[in-house]
Amino acid sequence: MPLTIKWVLSQLSINFKTGELIWRDNYQRPDLIGQRAGYLNEGYWRLSLGGVEYYAAQIIWFVIYGYIPTKTIDHKDRDKANDSLFNLRCATKGQ
C-alpha cells in the first residue's frame, strides 16, 4: 500500500519539535496505542508502517514535504535519534 499523508496521520501523532512519533492506531498491536512508535536500531528510530520498515526521519519528512527523498536525511547535530524537523536536512552521504 503506498503511503499517504492522511493515512500516516491516522496512524501516528507527530511531535515535530521533538521528532517523536506516537501510535494513534495500530491494528496489529492495539496495546501500543499512545506509546512511542518504533525502536532504536544503530542509533536511529525505525518503525514499520503498512508492513514496510522506515526511519522515523523519513516519515516526518514525508508528512511535511510529501515525499521520501532518494538522498540521505541527515541529522544536523549528528544525533541519529534526534528526529526534530529542524534537525533534519536532505544531504548526500558525503555531506
Side-chain angles (χ1 to χ4, degrees):
M1 163 173 68
L3 285 183
T4 66
I5 294 169
K6 182 178 179 179
W7 184 78
V8 169
L9 292 176
S10 76
Q11 302 298 299
L12 298 167
S13 173
I14 302 173
N15 183 327
F16 295 104
K17 186 175 180 180
T18 66
E20 289 183 357
L21 306 177
I22 306 296
W23 288 114
R24 285 183 189 216
D25 188 20
N26 188 323
Y27 67 92
Q28 292 179 321
R29 294 281 313 271
D31 58 308
L32 295 179
I33 293 170
Q35 295 183 37
R36 187 166 187 165
Y39 58 94
L40 281 172
N41 182 333
E42 297 183 11
Y44 294 97
W45 280 99
R46 293 186 57 91
L47 69 151
S48 178
L49 277 177
V52 179
E53 286 283 320
Y54 295 97
Y55 290 100
Q58 290 177 306
I59 298 302
I60 291 167
W61 192 277
F62 174 72
V63 168
I64 292 297
Y65 300 108
Y67 70 99
I68 295 176
T70 55
K71 292 184 175 185
T72 301
I73 298 175
D74 184 43
H75 295 79
K76 294 176 189 175
D77 69 358
R78 314 306 280 168
D79 178 356
K80 300 173 186 178
N82 181 2
D83 290 320
S84 161
L85 176 62
F86 305 106
N87 191 45
L88 304 177
R89 67 178 180 157
C90 220
T92 63
K93 290 194 182 246
Q95 289 180 302

